[in-house]
Amino acid sequence: MSHSSEIAPHDPGTAPATRGVVLTDPGFKPRPPRLTDTDPKAAKRAERIIAGAFGLSTLTAFGAIVAYLALPLDGSLQRLQASNLALGLMLGLSTLLLGLGAIYWAKKLMPDTPMVQERHPLSPTPEARQAALAEFDAGVEESGFGRRTLIRNSLLGALVALPLPAVFLLGDLGPTQGVAQVKAETLWERGTRVVNDVTFEPIRPQDLELGQIVNGMPASYKDIPEEDHAERLAQRGKSSVILVRIDPADLDDATAAMGIDGILCYSKICTHVGCPLSLWERTTNNMLCPCHQSTFNLAQGGRVIFGPARRPLPLLALEVDAEGYLVAQGDFVEPVGPSFWERERV
Amino acid sequence: MSAVVQAASTPVRFIDDRITLSNWARGNLRKVFPGHWSFLLGEIALYSFILLLLSGTFLTLFFKPSLAAVVYEGSYVPLRGVEMSEAYASTLHISFEVRGGLLMRQVHHWSALLFIAAMTVHMFRVFFTGAFRRPREINWMIGGVLLLLGLGAGFTGYSLPDDLLSGTGLRIIEGIVLSIPVVGTYLAFMIFGGEYPGEDIIARLFIAHVLLIPGIILALITVHVMLVWFQKHTQFPGPGRTNDNVEGAPLMPTFAAKGAGLTFVVFGVVLLMSAFIQINPVWLWGPYDPSQVSAGTQPDWYIGWLDGMLRIMPAWEPVIFGYTLSLNVLIPAVVMPGLLTTLLIAYPWIERFAVGNDGQEHHLLDRPRDVPVRTGIGVAAILFYGMLWLSGGNDFIATIFQIPVNTITWFMRIGIFVIPAIGFVIAKRWAIGLQKRDLDTVLHGRETGIIRMTPDGEFYEVHEPVSEHEAYALLARPDPVVLPEPSAVDENGVANPKARKHRLQAKLSRFYLGDVPRRPTAEELEHARAHAVEASSARAGELPSSH
């Protein structure tokens, strides 16, 4: 049936001839008449059911208007729930009944004798294809596209050049200078106090009990002006830390050297894709990321115990200032948060 | 002429006289559409998309796509006085102060979940019945792109409220963009308009979500449906149904009534779900703060497989010449999704390469059992997807079943390869078994469950021959044709330049079709039927058979 001129790569027709039996097509199986086709009473009943569904649909549509007007929102959750339920129920029933009525109508009363139509091959006849190609060729010929190479080549050049400015127009979507440097620097400097991230109170070593964790921010975070919302959010996503106190006996030497009496200050941002860490298991000293379950051991310098993160959690070196509060010895020695291409180079 | 036609005649005539409507309407108004429940899955996707457009338009009337900081003073008491973005505040406003606003938010979310679910199941139908074969490869491709765009629309949409959950999703996107070699850092700064999270991202996602993506989806759906119209629908083989005809109900009135009916049923079901089942109560999550996260964070269901891949990927992150290559993020979040969608979209060509191009149009569907290897591949793909999806909930599985999350992760790392392979074998064997049963039914009739005893005490079960129509339907499939081994040289002794390719094809076609049971020959069928008649007449014979 196909007019395809495509040639099969190696013709399946050369394979052993089709062996299976081809039964004669007995033709469409006649469908038994429906009850609504033979019994006028059944047809009448179907008619009433359909009209009933449409009638109820109308009623519930008005019901939705009533629900809208009768249940103004007063700020209470109960009223909100009642309004949502009443509106949704009425609108839902109204549309559902409309739909079911239409389907029931089609199934019970509209003729169900199948109709048959012919298909025609979608591939064009070779003649049609030839004719179309001839028209195209005539068009190309008349334009001189093939002959006048100077016009053709200069046109192609212009078409290639024109989209280029469009790429540049996207250049100001974001900064393009020193982005890796921005990612690498946080607010932490030598002497920056670690403050509680909610109360912004500075913290002394004796404020932390063994096994306790405190979410911290650098004290200088408070100095970012209120209206510099973007900078504040960026710092919350970059400079936030976790203070934790672990029994110094459990710490390895390198880790212990970064802290004060077992108090350690880790970046809160996961080194996998940057979720804030939050699940602390004090019996094992493990910190788990709730997004992808990377697990860091805070007694061993934030070493990755399990999960998709590769790098240990960056550790901020602590000291105590003259007034006895915990302060940073400087910024993190490496960029915090998810890895990026240039992170070893900044 | 009926009253309806008369009433409409003047405006219709007006249009007809100007654009020759009649020429198009004639023949098309009674166009035949086959009816099978599985053909409605794509329609459900279409109707849920319409509902998305309607509910989404309502939401845009109230939503403010801005990250500017405001202090919440609305009617939801627990968040009063809290600093948040305008986006989050206006989402709370829609939920708590706009009558029907919460309903529309829930309708929008539920229909989004349904849209992608319906597209997915529709794709399964098309795959398992071979409806993607020539001439419908283009529509398979468009469908694949629509599915991807659906994921994009979903993700950009649920990021908009700027609540704690959606913000965490964006943080993960930033991490993924950063993993792209060379340009990743710059790309991240461009997407977010500066350092993460910046103040631009919600406005940018908003325009993508309400204009760019739905615009492309709408255009592609139009082409998708026009192609179905032009190429006509496929149908299952059976008595009377051939590759050259189409059997079904006419557009006017039956198909139109059923289609319109289904539209409103889909709307109604989503509305009722939104009335009764709460979804994404953003007021509970609180405004986004990059230093906070809630435990057990879960994306919408259709993003689960991507999140799952991120979770089970081993921690590979080499540093090459001083540059960091985050394979632990790049592979699961960029490389694999790209590879898998390429394979998905290319499948019609892969299969055609494997079974050989017969140059035919395929308007008759395969039953899934008829092509056991394709069915096996489909089952394996679903299992692979399902395993990744479960991995996206490994923390939930861990808490529910009290299994360490590390054990689950290791199980998944191995299971994503092993379980699809097992599923492939089982599904393939299962399909072959079903085919053999069909053959048996044609040859020996149906087991009636009636046990008879012959006069000399022999018990037998009465087999009832199947009807002519049924036998035809059961055998209405093409015989598998395995491509022959090519010869290395032709009859003139010239080396076949394509021998290598043809050898590969022969191997692949043996893999695809080698195990498919062939249909019985005419003699076998005749013999089996004669035998059945003989046996039953002998047993029912008046004289007891001799010992």
Side-chain angles (χ1 to χ4, degrees):
Chain A
M1 56 143 277
S2 172
H3 291 260
S4 169
S5 57
E6 245 175 272
I7 293 155
H10 52 305
D11 185 8
T14 58
T18 341
R19 291 160 303 186
V21 66
V22 181
L23 296 179
T24 20
D25 186 347
F28 293 105
K29 198 175 167 182
R31 294 196 189 187
R34 298 165 296 187
L35 197 56
T36 42
D37 294 329
T38 52
D39 181 1
K41 267 193 198 145
K44 196 74 200 161
R45 195 160 52 239
E47 197 182 328
R48 275 198 296 271
I49 290 174
I50 296 158
F54 290 162
L56 266 180
S57 168
T58 315
L59 280 182
T60 41
F62 283 110
I65 299 174
V66 172
Y68 187 87
L69 295 176
L71 294 168
L73 300 179
D74 59 5
S76 74
L77 272 177
Q78 289 81 354
R79 176 55 65 81
L80 178 65
Q81 274 173 352
S83 163
N84 186 67
L85 185 70
L87 266 178
L89 189 65
M90 289 296 147
L91 278 175
L93 284 177
S94 185
T95 42
L96 190 64
L97 286 165
L98 191 56
L100 290 176
I103 293 172
Y104 198 71
W105 183 6
K107 283 188 106 60
K108 292 289 165 178
L109 296 178
M110 293 180 189
D112 78 332
T113 0
M115 282 174 55
V116 182
Q117 284 175 351
E118 278 183 17
R119 287 181 201 274
H120 306 286
L122 292 163
S123 299
T125 59
E127 298 80 53
R129 216 192 289 262
Q130 281 308 319
L133 273 176
E135 284 186 16
F136 180 77
D137 284 345
V140 173
E141 184 55 33
E142 283 172 25
S143 74
F145 194 78
R147 256 177 307 121
R148 301 185 196 280
T149 47
L150 187 62
I151 293 183
R152 186 190 64 197
N153 295 345
S154 54
L155 173 66
L156 289 179
L159 290 177
V160 169
L162 192 56
L164 295 179
V167 178
F168 280 85
L169 280 173
L170 293 174
D172 280 342
L173 274 177
T176 46
Q177 295 299 313
V179 292
Q181 205 56 41
V182 171
K183 283 210 76 63
E185 286 165 4
T186 72
L187 282 179
W188 296 101
E189 289 170 12
R190 183 174 189 105
T192 308
R193 280 183 178 167
V194 187
V195 297
N196 183 299
D197 80 335
V198 181
T199 61
F200 297 112
E201 293 291 325
I203 298 160
R204 285 170 304 186
Q206 56 266 39
D207 296 337
L208 277 166
E209 289 170 26
L210 207 59
Q212 188 187 355
I213 64 163
V214 169
N215 291 320
M217 284 297 290
S220 46
Y221 170 78
K222 280 181 299 180
D223 305 335
I224 304 171
E226 282 275 318
E227 56 283 1
D228 200 352
H229 197 56
E231 175 65 8
R232 281 151 53 107
L233 283 175
Q235 292 304 338
R236 289 195 84 86
K238 190 164 72 170
S239 297
S240 51
V241 293
I242 301 163
L243 271 184
V244 59
R245 182 167 206 154
I246 300 172
D247 185 349
D250 292 346
L251 302 182
D252 59 46
D253 292 344
T255 309
M258 299 289 279
I260 304 284
D261 302 334
I263 296 176
L264 301 165
C265 186
Y266 283 99
S267 163
K268 195 179 195 310
I269 310 302
C270 183
T271 59
H272 178 221
V273 284
C275 289
L277 299 165
S278 70
L279 301 172
W280 169 236
E281 213 176 61
R282 64 191 291 174
T283 49
T284 55
N285 297 323
N286 284 343
M287 181 58 102
L288 187 88
C289 177
C291 289
H292 305 102
Q293 288 81 45
S294 293
T295 311
F296 305 88
N297 189 301
L298 301 194
Q300 299 170 9
R303 190 171 71 88
V304 180
I305 302 294
F306 193 80
R310 171 75 182 84
R311 287 177 298 103
L313 219 46
L315 192 51
L316 189 72
L318 287 179
E319 58 189 10
V320 176
D321 69 6
E323 291 167 65
Y325 292 107
L326 290 170
V327 296
Q329 288 188 23
D331 200 352
F332 288 98
V333 293
E334 56 177 327
V336 302
S339 298
F340 52 96
W341 183 248
E342 308 90 338
R343 80 171 293 283
E344 298 285 329
R345 300 229 163 187
V346 289
Chain B
M1 205 184 267
S2 76
V4 178
V5 174
Q6 257 170 3
S9 65
T10 313
V12 169
R13 200 186 179 110
F14 176 87
I15 296 170
D16 195 15
D17 285 341
R18 279 149 188 86
I19 61 167
T20 338
L21 195 62
S22 296
N23 277 5
W24 181 84
R26 188 184 56 196
N28 273 328
L29 289 178
R30 298 284 276 175
K31 191 180 176 72
V32 159
F33 285 85
H36 186 273
W37 66 266
S38 68
F39 300 166
L40 299 181
L41 296 165
E43 286 188 48
I44 294 177
L46 173 65
Y47 305 143
S48 45
F49 182 68
I50 295 172
L51 190 54
L52 278 168
L53 292 182
L54 293 174
S55 54
T57 305
F58 179 88
L59 294 175
T60 58
L61 303 178
F62 302 97
F63 180 69
K64 295 193 180 77
S66 150
L67 279 178
V70 292
V71 175
Y72 182 67
E73 298 296 350
S75 57
Y76 183 62
V77 179
L79 286 176
R80 265 194 209 155
V82 174
E83 191 184 281
M84 57 180 65
S85 64
E86 277 195 292
Y88 186 62
S90 62
T91 309
L92 293 177
H93 172 65
I94 292 172
S95 307
F96 288 101
E97 281 124 34
V98 177
R99 277 174 284 176
L102 177 61
L103 186 72
M104 284 302 137
R105 267 194 57 229
Q106 306 208 121
V107 164
H108 200 65
H109 207 135
W110 277 123
S111 44
L113 299 188
L114 179 65
F115 176 51
I116 296 170
M119 279 199 286
T120 308
V121 185
H122 169 60
M123 177 181 72
F124 292 165
R125 196 280 293 174
V126 170
F127 181 86
F128 285 112
T129 59
F132 54 80
R133 291 172 298 167
R134 181 175 173 175
R136 294 181 180 77
E137 304 97 323
I138 303 171
N139 245 3
W140 170 264
M141 257 172 74
I142 294 176
V145 175
L146 278 171
L147 189 59
L148 281 184
L149 287 169
L151 297 193
F155 187 83
T156 52
Y158 83 64
S159 299
L160 289 179
D162 195 38
D163 57 286
L164 190 53
L165 192 59
S166 73
T168 306
L170 283 178
R171 178 93 220 204
I172 296 170
I173 291 291
E174 192 228 359
I176 291 169
V177 175
L178 285 177
S179 78
I180 298 171
V182 188
V183 294
T185 318
Y186 293 90
L187 217 51
F189 272 70
M190 287 201 150
I191 290 172
F192 290 92
E195 189 171 20
Y196 177 86
E199 280 186 311
D200 297 331
I201 187 66
I202 295 295
R204 288 176 182 177
L205 289 177
F206 181 73
I207 200 64
H209 181 72
V210 304
L211 180 72
L212 290 180
I213 299 178
I216 302 172
I217 289 181
L218 199 58
L220 286 180
I221 287 181
T222 310
V223 178
H224 200 70
V225 172
M226 278 168 64
L227 279 175
V228 172
W229 184 285
F230 177 70
Q231 297 181 327
K232 295 197 171 81
H233 210 289
T234 51
Q235 60 188 355
F236 280 102
R241 297 198 210 111
T242 70
N243 207 33
D244 302 320
N245 70 11
V246 52
E247 181 224 8
L251 175 69
M252 283 269 289
T254 318
F255 186 75
K258 284 182 179 171
L262 184 60
T263 310
F264 287 112
V265 167
V266 169
F267 286 14
V269 168
V270 173
L271 275 160
L272 289 178
M273 284 170 79
S274 311
F276 288 101
I277 318 170
Q278 186 177 61
I279 186 162
N280 200 18
V282 285
W283 55 90
L284 296 182
W285 317 143
Y288 179 53
D289 174 345
S291 71
Q292 283 179 15
V293 69
S294 51
T297 52
Q298 288 287 311
D300 272 351
W301 78 264
Y302 45 83
I303 303 290
W305 67 289
L306 294 165
D307 204 44
M309 250 190 302
L310 271 175
R311 290 181 185 209
I312 62 173
M313 182 69 197
W316 299 341
E317 191 181 289
V319 174
I320 298 163
F321 301 119
Y323 290 106
T324 308
L325 190 59
S326 299
L327 295 178
N328 51 349
V329 181
L330 192 67
I331 289 178
V334 182
V335 176
M336 284 299 285
L339 189 71
L340 294 174
T341 35
T342 308
L343 278 177
L344 175 81
I345 287 174
Y347 184 80
W349 288 272
I350 298 173
E351 186 181 299
R352 191 168 73 176
F353 180 81
V355 300
N357 180 2
D358 62 5
Q360 300 291 311
E361 291 177 8
H362 295 272
H363 301 297
L364 285 178
L365 296 171
D366 293 323
R367 290 198 301 166
R369 68 188 64 175
D370 289 342
V371 192
V373 167
R374 180 202 294 148
T375 302
I377 291 173
V379 167
I382 292 174
L383 286 171
F384 181 73
Y385 179 95
M387 296 290 284
L388 292 179
W389 189 76
L390 284 176
S391 307
N394 58 355
D395 47 343
F396 272 93
I397 300 174
T399 38
I400 293 170
F401 295 102
Q402 298 288 309
I403 307 167
V405 76
N406 303 7
T407 313
I408 298 169
T409 303
W410 268 109
F411 176 81
M412 291 297 180
R413 280 174 181 173
I414 299 163
I416 56 162
F417 300 105
V418 174
I419 288 188
I422 296 172
F424 171 81
V425 174
I426 292 177
K428 181 184 161 191
R429 286 291 140 198
W430 196 326
I432 291 173
L434 285 171
Q435 274 197 57
K436 287 188 170 159
R437 194 188 68 177
D438 285 350
L439 290 181
D440 191 62
T441 308
V442 172
L443 289 177
H444 306 294
R446 190 196 316 286
E447 294 172 0
T448 57
I450 300 168
I451 309 292
R452 288 235 172 94
M453 190 178 77
T454 59
D456 46 341
E458 184 196 352
F459 289 96
Y460 70 96
E461 185 178 4
V462 178
H463 281 239
E464 183 186 62
V466 291
S467 75
E468 197 187 5
H469 285 96
E470 202 174 335
Y472 180 81
L474 288 175
L475 289 185
R477 62 172 166 94
D479 268 312
V481 181
V482 176
L483 299 177
E485 277 295 327
S487 48
V489 288
D490 66 10
E491 59 268 27
N492 298 325
V494 180
N496 178 359
K498 290 184 171 172
R500 184 188 294 251
K501 181 186 160 201
H502 289 173
R503 245 195 309 279
L504 173 67
Q505 275 188 305
K507 212 176 268 173
L508 278 171
S509 99
R510 217 167 27 249
F511 167 70
Y512 256 85
L513 301 170
D515 294 337
V516 179
R518 61 173 178 82
R519 295 188 299 184
T521 61
E523 296 83 59
E524 281 167 337
L525 190 66
E526 208 39 59
H527 182 255
R529 283 191 171 156
H531 178 75
V533 171
E534 190 181 299
S536 58
S537 60
R539 282 161 174 155
E542 287 169 2
L543 294 169
S545 52
S546 56
H547 292 273

